[in-house]
Amino acid sequence: MYRLLDKTKGDRWIWLIVILLSVISLLAVYSATGTLAYKRGVANESILLKHFFMMVGGGVLMYVSHKLDYRYYAGISKLLMVVTIPLLLYTLLFGNHVNGASRWVALPGGLTFQTSDLAKLALITYLARTLSRKQEHIKDVKQSFIPIMGSVCVVFILIALANLSTALMLFGVSILLLIIGRISVKQIAVVCLAGAVLLTGVVLLGPRRKTYISRINTYMHPEKVDNDKSFQSDHSKIAIATGGIFGKGPGNSTERNFLPHPYSDFVYATIIEEYGLFGGVFIMFMYLFLLYRCIKIVTKAPKAFGALLAAGLSFSLTIQAFANMAVAVGLGPVTGVPMPLVSMGGTSILFTSVAFGIILSVSRHIDENEVANVAKKKIVVGEILEVA
C-alpha cells in the first residue's frame, strides 16, 4: 500500500476526493440498482461487481495518465480531434438509437461507447494546445480565431444533434477557456453568436426538436403538462423532500423503484433520500473543493498549456456535476447528464478518470519543478558558503 502511495504523485487532496467519490458511487449504485437487476433477471451484486471493475479500470487509466508528462497531451490532442469528428458523424448516422437519440457506438462483447465523452476530452485538450501556442498571434483572425471557432462550432453541432445538454456544457467550458486564453471580447462575442444560431437551429429544426421543446415546456410550465412528462422530476423532488436532514439510511430509498435512472441521471436524488441534507451538501463540497484545488494548480502552472488544460478539465467536471444536481433538485430541465465518478456508467467513468489523471499530471509537474528549484537553491547556498 505504501509503495503504491509513493508512486502516486500530484495533489494528494485530489486523490482523496477521487477515493471518496468512488466509495460514495459504490454505495449509491448498489442501493439504486435493485429494480434494474430485477428487470434484467440478475443478482444486484453482479451489477455492482461490473461497476466496481469499471471503476478499477478507470483507476488504472488515471494512474497511467498522471504518470505521463502532461506536455505529451498537446500532440495527442491533434490525433484526438482527427478521430473525434468522423466518430461523431458515424455515431449520428449509424450509432445505437436509445430514446430517440444516437449517442452510442456498439463495441464487441455487448459494450457501448459514448463518443461525446471522447469529444469533450479532445476539444478541451485541443483548445488548450491551440491557445497556448498562438499567444503571440492570439488576436489574428486567420491564424488563431478561425481554427478555434471552427473546432468549437463543429464539435458543438455534432454533439448537440443527439445530446444538447452535453454540447451546451462543453460550449460553456470552451468560452471560459477562450476568456482565460486572452481571446478578444469581440471574437468571443462572435463565437457566442455562432453558438446561439446553431443552438436555435438544433432546437427548432434538429431531429430531437420535439423532445427538447417538450422538456423546456415541462420545466417552465409543469402545471400545464401531463403527469407522465413530469414523472421523473416529480419523483426526484419526492426523494429529496422525504430524505430530510439525516436521510432514511443506506439502502432505504423508496423512490429508486420509481425513478427511471436512480443510479445515473438521478443518483443525487437517491443519495439525498438515503443520506439526507448532509449527504447532498457533502457531495457539493467535494466538487467545490475539487475546483478549488484545481484553481491552485492553474495559478502555479509554469506554462500556459498546463494551466489551460487543468482549467478546462476541472471546469468541465465541476459544471457537469452541478448540472446533474440542478436537474435532481428541479433547477433545470431533465437531461441525461451523469455525475462524474458517482453515477454508474461505462465510458463516462473511464474518460472522467483520464481527465483526473491529466490534471494530476500537471500537478505532478509543478511539484517536481518546486523540488528541483529548492535543490538548486540549496546547491547555490552551499557554494556561497564554501567560498565564504
Side-chain angles (χ1 to χ4, degrees), residues 348-373:
S348 174
I349 291 176
L350 298 180
F351 283 105
T352 297
S353 300
V354 171
F356 272 108
I358 295 174
I359 293 171
L360 287 167
S361 176
V362 178
S363 176
R364 179 176 67 87
H365 184 77
I366 294 170
D367 293 343
E368 290 174 351
N369 279 350
E370 289 179 351
V371 171
N373 290 335

PDB file of all heavy atoms in Angstrom, residues 348-373:
ATOM      1  N   SER A 348     -18.151   6.971 -19.512  1.00  0.00           N
ATOM      2  CA  SER A 348     -18.140   8.188 -18.696  1.00  0.00           C
ATOM      3  C   SER A 348     -17.125   8.067 -17.563  1.00  0.00           C
ATOM      4  O   SER A 348     -16.343   8.997 -17.314  1.00  0.00           O
ATOM      5  CB  SER A 348     -19.537   8.440 -18.129  1.00  0.00           C
ATOM      6  OG  SER A 348     -19.524   9.528 -17.224  1.00  0.00           O
ATOM      7  N   ILE A 349     -17.107   6.920 -16.879  1.00  0.00           N
ATOM      8  CA  ILE A 349     -16.152   6.708 -15.787  1.00  0.00           C
ATOM      9  C   ILE A 349     -14.727   6.684 -16.316  1.00  0.00           C
ATOM     10  O   ILE A 349     -13.813   7.276 -15.724  1.00  0.00           O
ATOM     11  CB  ILE A 349     -16.471   5.394 -15.055  1.00  0.00           C
ATOM     12  CG1 ILE A 349     -17.789   5.521 -14.289  1.00  0.00           C
ATOM     13  CG2 ILE A 349     -15.350   5.007 -14.092  1.00  0.00           C
ATOM     14  CD1 ILE A 349     -18.236   4.243 -13.621  1.00  0.00           C
ATOM     15  N   LEU A 350     -14.518   6.027 -17.434  1.00  0.00           N
ATOM     16  CA  LEU A 350     -13.163   5.885 -17.979  1.00  0.00           C
ATOM     17  C   LEU A 350     -12.589   7.231 -18.404  1.00  0.00           C
ATOM     18  O   LEU A 350     -11.448   7.566 -18.060  1.00  0.00           O
ATOM     19  CB  LEU A 350     -13.176   4.917 -19.165  1.00  0.00           C
ATOM     20  CG  LEU A 350     -13.616   3.475 -18.854  1.00  0.00           C
ATOM     21  CD1 LEU A 350     -13.575   2.628 -20.119  1.00  0.00           C
ATOM     22  CD2 LEU A 350     -12.731   2.857 -17.781  1.00  0.00           C
ATOM     23  N   PHE A 351     -13.364   8.017 -19.140  1.00  0.00           N
ATOM     24  CA  PHE A 351     -12.853   9.307 -19.609  1.00  0.00           C
ATOM     25  C   PHE A 351     -12.776  10.329 -18.486  1.00  0.00           C
ATOM     26  O   PHE A 351     -11.908  11.211 -18.497  1.00  0.00           O
ATOM     27  CB  PHE A 351     -13.711   9.831 -20.764  1.00  0.00           C
ATOM     28  CG  PHE A 351     -13.432   9.158 -22.069  1.00  0.00           C
ATOM     29  CD1 PHE A 351     -14.314   8.231 -22.600  1.00  0.00           C
ATOM     30  CD2 PHE A 351     -12.268   9.422 -22.771  1.00  0.00           C
ATOM     31  CE1 PHE A 351     -14.060   7.602 -23.791  1.00  0.00           C
ATOM     32  CE2 PHE A 351     -11.995   8.796 -23.969  1.00  0.00           C
ATOM     33  CZ  PHE A 351     -12.884   7.874 -24.487  1.00  0.00           C
ATOM     34  N   THR A 352     -13.666  10.232 -17.500  1.00  0.00           N
ATOM     35  CA  THR A 352     -13.553  11.089 -16.319  1.00  0.00           C
ATOM     36  C   THR A 352     -12.265  10.784 -15.571  1.00  0.00           C
ATOM     37  O   THR A 352     -11.566  11.692 -15.102  1.00  0.00           O
ATOM     38  CB  THR A 352     -14.760  10.874 -15.384  1.00  0.00           C
ATOM     39  OG1 THR A 352     -15.959  11.265 -16.063  1.00  0.00           O
ATOM     40  CG2 THR A 352     -14.603  11.695 -14.112  1.00  0.00           C
ATOM     41  N   SER A 353     -11.923   9.507 -15.473  1.00  0.00           N
ATOM     42  CA  SER A 353     -10.679   9.109 -14.807  1.00  0.00           C
ATOM     43  C   SER A 353      -9.459   9.631 -15.550  1.00  0.00           C
ATOM     44  O   SER A 353      -8.486  10.084 -14.934  1.00  0.00           O
ATOM     45  CB  SER A 353     -10.620   7.585 -14.697  1.00  0.00           C
ATOM     46  OG  SER A 353     -11.713   7.075 -13.955  1.00  0.00           O
ATOM     47  N   VAL A 354      -9.504   9.589 -16.880  1.00  0.00           N
ATOM     48  CA  VAL A 354      -8.399  10.127 -17.675  1.00  0.00           C
ATOM     49  C   VAL A 354      -8.266  11.627 -17.440  1.00  0.00           C
ATOM     50  O   VAL A 354      -7.147  12.159 -17.317  1.00  0.00           O
ATOM     51  CB  VAL A 354      -8.610   9.831 -19.174  1.00  0.00           C
ATOM     52  CG1 VAL A 354      -7.582  10.566 -20.020  1.00  0.00           C
ATOM     53  CG2 VAL A 354      -8.531   8.334 -19.438  1.00  0.00           C
ATOM     54  N   ALA A 355      -9.405  12.332 -17.362  1.00  0.00           N
ATOM     55  CA  ALA A 355      -9.376  13.778 -17.101  1.00  0.00           C
ATOM     56  C   ALA A 355      -8.730  14.072 -15.750  1.00  0.00           C
ATOM     57  O   ALA A 355      -7.890  14.979 -15.636  1.00  0.00           O
ATOM     58  CB  ALA A 355     -10.799  14.340 -17.145  1.00  0.00           C
ATOM     59  N   PHE A 356      -9.095  13.307 -14.725  1.00  0.00           N
ATOM     60  CA  PHE A 356      -8.454  13.469 -13.417  1.00  0.00           C
ATOM     61  C   PHE A 356      -6.953  13.183 -13.520  1.00  0.00           C
ATOM     62  O   PHE A 356      -6.135  13.873 -12.907  1.00  0.00           O
ATOM     63  CB  PHE A 356      -9.088  12.518 -12.397  1.00  0.00           C
ATOM     64  CG  PHE A 356     -10.275  13.089 -11.690  1.00  0.00           C
ATOM     65  CD1 PHE A 356     -11.555  12.628 -11.971  1.00  0.00           C
ATOM     66  CD2 PHE A 356     -10.122  14.079 -10.745  1.00  0.00           C
ATOM     67  CE1 PHE A 356     -12.656  13.147 -11.315  1.00  0.00           C
ATOM     68  CE2 PHE A 356     -11.219  14.605 -10.084  1.00  0.00           C
ATOM     69  CZ  PHE A 356     -12.498  14.143 -10.371  1.00  0.00           C
ATOM     70  N   GLY A 357      -6.588  12.153 -14.273  1.00  0.00           N
ATOM     71  CA  GLY A 357      -5.178  11.808 -14.435  1.00  0.00           C
ATOM     72  C   GLY A 357      -4.381  12.924 -15.087  1.00  0.00           C
ATOM     73  O   GLY A 357      -3.246  13.204 -14.682  1.00  0.00           O
ATOM     74  N   ILE A 358      -4.964  13.584 -16.083  1.00  0.00           N
ATOM     75  CA  ILE A 358      -4.268  14.688 -16.760  1.00  0.00           C
ATOM     76  C   ILE A 358      -4.080  15.864 -15.800  1.00  0.00           C
ATOM     77  O   ILE A 358      -3.017  16.497 -15.763  1.00  0.00           O
ATOM     78  CB  ILE A 358      -5.050  15.119 -18.013  1.00  0.00           C
ATOM     79  CG1 ILE A 358      -5.074  13.979 -19.038  1.00  0.00           C
ATOM     80  CG2 ILE A 358      -4.420  16.367 -18.635  1.00  0.00           C
ATOM     81  CD1 ILE A 358      -5.943  14.253 -20.247  1.00  0.00           C
ATOM     82  N   ILE A 359      -5.114  16.170 -15.020  1.00  0.00           N
ATOM     83  CA  ILE A 359      -4.987  17.245 -14.020  1.00  0.00           C
ATOM     84  C   ILE A 359      -3.875  16.919 -13.034  1.00  0.00           C
ATOM     85  O   ILE A 359      -3.049  17.776 -12.678  1.00  0.00           O
ATOM     86  CB  ILE A 359      -6.327  17.443 -13.283  1.00  0.00           C
ATOM     87  CG1 ILE A 359      -7.389  17.978 -14.235  1.00  0.00           C
ATOM     88  CG2 ILE A 359      -6.150  18.412 -12.107  1.00  0.00           C
ATOM     89  CD1 ILE A 359      -8.796  18.009 -13.646  1.00  0.00           C
ATOM     90  N   LEU A 360      -3.824  15.676 -12.582  1.00  0.00           N
ATOM     91  CA  LEU A 360      -2.782  15.252 -11.646  1.00  0.00           C
ATOM     92  C   LEU A 360      -1.405  15.264 -12.296  1.00  0.00           C
ATOM     93  O   LEU A 360      -0.394  15.491 -11.620  1.00  0.00           O
ATOM     94  CB  LEU A 360      -3.101  13.857 -11.116  1.00  0.00           C
ATOM     95  CG  LEU A 360      -4.262  13.784 -10.122  1.00  0.00           C
ATOM     96  CD1 LEU A 360      -4.707  12.344  -9.914  1.00  0.00           C
ATOM     97  CD2 LEU A 360      -3.860  14.408  -8.785  1.00  0.00           C
ATOM     98  N   SER A 361      -1.350  15.035 -13.603  1.00  0.00           N
ATOM     99  CA  SER A 361      -0.076  15.111 -14.316  1.00  0.00           C
ATOM    100  C   SER A 361       0.481  16.533 -14.289  1.00  0.00           C
ATOM    101  O   SER A 361       1.684  16.740 -14.097  1.00  0.00           O
ATOM    102  CB  SER A 361      -0.251  14.639 -15.762  1.00  0.00           C
ATOM    103  OG  SER A 361       0.945  14.777 -16.501  1.00  0.00           O
ATOM    104  N   VAL A 362      -0.412  17.515 -14.488  1.00  0.00           N
ATOM    105  CA  VAL A 362       0.008  18.923 -14.394  1.00  0.00           C
ATOM    106  C   VAL A 362       0.485  19.223 -12.977  1.00  0.00           C
ATOM    107  O   VAL A 362       1.525  19.872 -12.775  1.00  0.00           O
ATOM    108  CB  VAL A 362      -1.154  19.860 -14.781  1.00  0.00           C
ATOM    109  CG1 VAL A 362      -0.722  21.324 -14.637  1.00  0.00           C
ATOM    110  CG2 VAL A 362      -1.613  19.593 -16.210  1.00  0.00           C
ATOM    111  N   SER A 363      -0.259  18.744 -11.975  1.00  0.00           N
ATOM    112  CA  SER A 363       0.119  18.950 -10.575  1.00  0.00           C
ATOM    113  C   SER A 363       1.460  18.283 -10.268  1.00  0.00           C
ATOM    114  O   SER A 363       2.300  18.862  -9.557  1.00  0.00           O
ATOM    115  CB  SER A 363      -0.973  18.391  -9.663  1.00  0.00           C
ATOM    116  OG  SER A 363      -0.604  18.491  -8.320  1.00  0.00           O
ATOM    117  N   ARG A 364       1.677  17.090 -10.781  1.00  0.00           N
ATOM    118  CA  ARG A 364       2.936  16.378 -10.551  1.00  0.00           C
ATOM    119  C   ARG A 364       4.112  17.166 -11.124  1.00  0.00           C
ATOM    120  O   ARG A 364       5.177  17.267 -10.497  1.00  0.00           O
ATOM    121  CB  ARG A 364       2.870  14.999 -11.212  1.00  0.00           C
ATOM    122  CG  ARG A 364       4.126  14.158 -11.056  1.00  0.00           C
ATOM    123  CD  ARG A 364       3.921  12.776 -11.658  1.00  0.00           C
ATOM    124  NE  ARG A 364       3.763  12.822 -13.090  1.00  0.00           N
ATOM    125  CZ  ARG A 364       4.764  12.794 -13.971  1.00  0.00           C
ATOM    126  NH1 ARG A 364       6.015  12.753 -13.535  1.00  0.00           N
ATOM    127  NH2 ARG A 364       4.534  12.826 -15.263  1.00  0.00           N
ATOM    128  N   HIS A 365       3.925  17.729 -12.301  1.00  0.00           N
ATOM    129  CA  HIS A 365       4.985  18.520 -12.939  1.00  0.00           C
ATOM    130  C   HIS A 365       5.325  19.750 -12.100  1.00  0.00           C
ATOM    131  O   HIS A 365       6.506  20.109 -11.956  1.00  0.00           O
ATOM    132  CB  HIS A 365       4.538  18.943 -14.342  1.00  0.00           C
ATOM    133  CG  HIS A 365       5.578  19.682 -15.116  1.00  0.00           C
ATOM    134  ND1 HIS A 365       6.640  19.055 -15.716  1.00  0.00           N
ATOM    135  CD2 HIS A 365       5.726  21.008 -15.373  1.00  0.00           C
ATOM    136  CE1 HIS A 365       7.398  19.950 -16.323  1.00  0.00           C
ATOM    137  NE2 HIS A 365       6.866  21.143 -16.126  1.00  0.00           N
ATOM    138  N   ILE A 366       4.302  20.384 -11.522  1.00  0.00           N
ATOM    139  CA  ILE A 366       4.519  21.554 -10.661  1.00  0.00           C
ATOM    140  C   ILE A 366       5.327  21.162  -9.427  1.00  0.00           C
ATOM    141  O   ILE A 366       6.287  21.848  -9.045  1.00  0.00           O
ATOM    142  CB  ILE A 366       3.176  22.178 -10.253  1.00  0.00           C
ATOM    143  CG1 ILE A 366       2.459  22.754 -11.479  1.00  0.00           C
ATOM    144  CG2 ILE A 366       3.374  23.263  -9.194  1.00  0.00           C
ATOM    145  CD1 ILE A 366       1.032  23.184 -11.212  1.00  0.00           C
ATOM    146  N   ASP A 367       4.945  20.041  -8.795  1.00  0.00           N
ATOM    147  CA  ASP A 367       5.646  19.572  -7.598  1.00  0.00           C
ATOM    148  C   ASP A 367       7.109  19.250  -7.905  1.00  0.00           C
ATOM    149  O   ASP A 367       8.012  19.593  -7.123  1.00  0.00           O
ATOM    150  CB  ASP A 367       4.954  18.333  -7.022  1.00  0.00           C
ATOM    151  CG  ASP A 367       3.578  18.654  -6.463  1.00  0.00           C
ATOM    152  OD1 ASP A 367       3.305  19.846  -6.236  1.00  0.00           O
ATOM    153  OD2 ASP A 367       2.785  17.709  -6.270  1.00  0.00           O
ATOM    154  N   GLU A 368       7.357  18.610  -9.034  1.00  0.00           N
ATOM    155  CA  GLU A 368       8.724  18.251  -9.413  1.00  0.00           C
ATOM    156  C   GLU A 368       9.561  19.493  -9.678  1.00  0.00           C
ATOM    157  O   GLU A 368      10.750  19.543  -9.335  1.00  0.00           O
ATOM    158  CB  GLU A 368       8.708  17.336 -10.637  1.00  0.00           C
ATOM    159  CG  GLU A 368       8.159  15.933 -10.339  1.00  0.00           C
ATOM    160  CD  GLU A 368       8.015  15.089 -11.586  1.00  0.00           C
ATOM    161  OE1 GLU A 368       8.185  15.646 -12.698  1.00  0.00           O
ATOM    162  OE2 GLU A 368       7.722  13.887 -11.458  1.00  0.00           O
ATOM    163  N   ASN A 369       8.952  20.505 -10.297  1.00  0.00           N
ATOM    164  CA  ASN A 369       9.670  21.760 -10.539  1.00  0.00           C
ATOM    165  C   ASN A 369      10.024  22.456  -9.227  1.00  0.00           C
ATOM    166  O   ASN A 369      11.118  23.007  -9.078  1.00  0.00           O
ATOM    167  CB  ASN A 369       8.819  22.700 -11.397  1.00  0.00           C
ATOM    168  CG  ASN A 369       8.902  22.373 -12.874  1.00  0.00           C
ATOM    169  OD1 ASN A 369       9.730  21.562 -13.297  1.00  0.00           O
ATOM    170  ND2 ASN A 369       8.041  22.976 -13.671  1.00  0.00           N
ATOM    171  N   GLU A 370       9.079  22.429  -8.274  1.00  0.00           N
ATOM    172  CA  GLU A 370       9.335  23.063  -6.983  1.00  0.00           C
ATOM    173  C   GLU A 370      10.466  22.356  -6.239  1.00  0.00           C
ATOM    174  O   GLU A 370      11.329  23.006  -5.634  1.00  0.00           O
ATOM    175  CB  GLU A 370       8.058  23.060  -6.141  1.00  0.00           C
ATOM    176  CG  GLU A 370       6.986  24.013  -6.658  1.00  0.00           C
ATOM    177  CD  GLU A 370       5.724  23.960  -5.824  1.00  0.00           C
ATOM    178  OE1 GLU A 370       5.624  23.052  -4.957  1.00  0.00           O
ATOM    179  OE2 GLU A 370       4.833  24.820  -6.023  1.00  0.00           O
ATOM    180  N   VAL A 371      10.483  21.019  -6.294  1.00  0.00           N
ATOM    181  CA  VAL A 371      11.553  20.256  -5.650  1.00  0.00           C
ATOM    182  C   VAL A 371      12.889  20.559  -6.308  1.00  0.00           C
ATOM    183  O   VAL A 371      13.917  20.747  -5.633  1.00  0.00           O
ATOM    184  CB  VAL A 371      11.245  18.743  -5.719  1.00  0.00           C
ATOM    185  CG1 VAL A 371      12.452  17.937  -5.255  1.00  0.00           C
ATOM    186  CG2 VAL A 371      10.033  18.412  -4.866  1.00  0.00           C
ATOM    187  N   ALA A 372      12.886  20.651  -7.643  1.00  0.00           N
ATOM    188  CA  ALA A 372      14.118  20.942  -8.376  1.00  0.00           C
ATOM    189  C   ALA A 372      14.629  22.339  -8.042  1.00  0.00           C
ATOM    190  O   ALA A 372      15.842  22.549  -7.880  1.00  0.00           O
ATOM    191  CB  ALA A 372      13.877  20.802  -9.876  1.00  0.00           C
ATOM    192  N   ASN A 373      13.721  23.295  -7.926  1.00  0.00           N
ATOM    193  CA  ASN A 373      14.127  24.669  -7.604  1.00  0.00           C
ATOM    194  C   ASN A 373      14.709  24.764  -6.197  1.00  0.00           C
ATOM    195  O   ASN A 373      15.697  25.480  -5.965  1.00  0.00           O
ATOM    196  CB  ASN A 373      12.927  25.611  -7.729  1.00  0.00           C
ATOM    197  CG  ASN A 373      12.486  25.809  -9.172  1.00  0.00           C
ATOM    198  OD1 ASN A 373      13.297  25.655 -10.090  1.00  0.00           O
ATOM    199  ND2 ASN A 373      11.220  26.133  -9.371  1.00  0.00           N
TER     200      ASN A 373
END
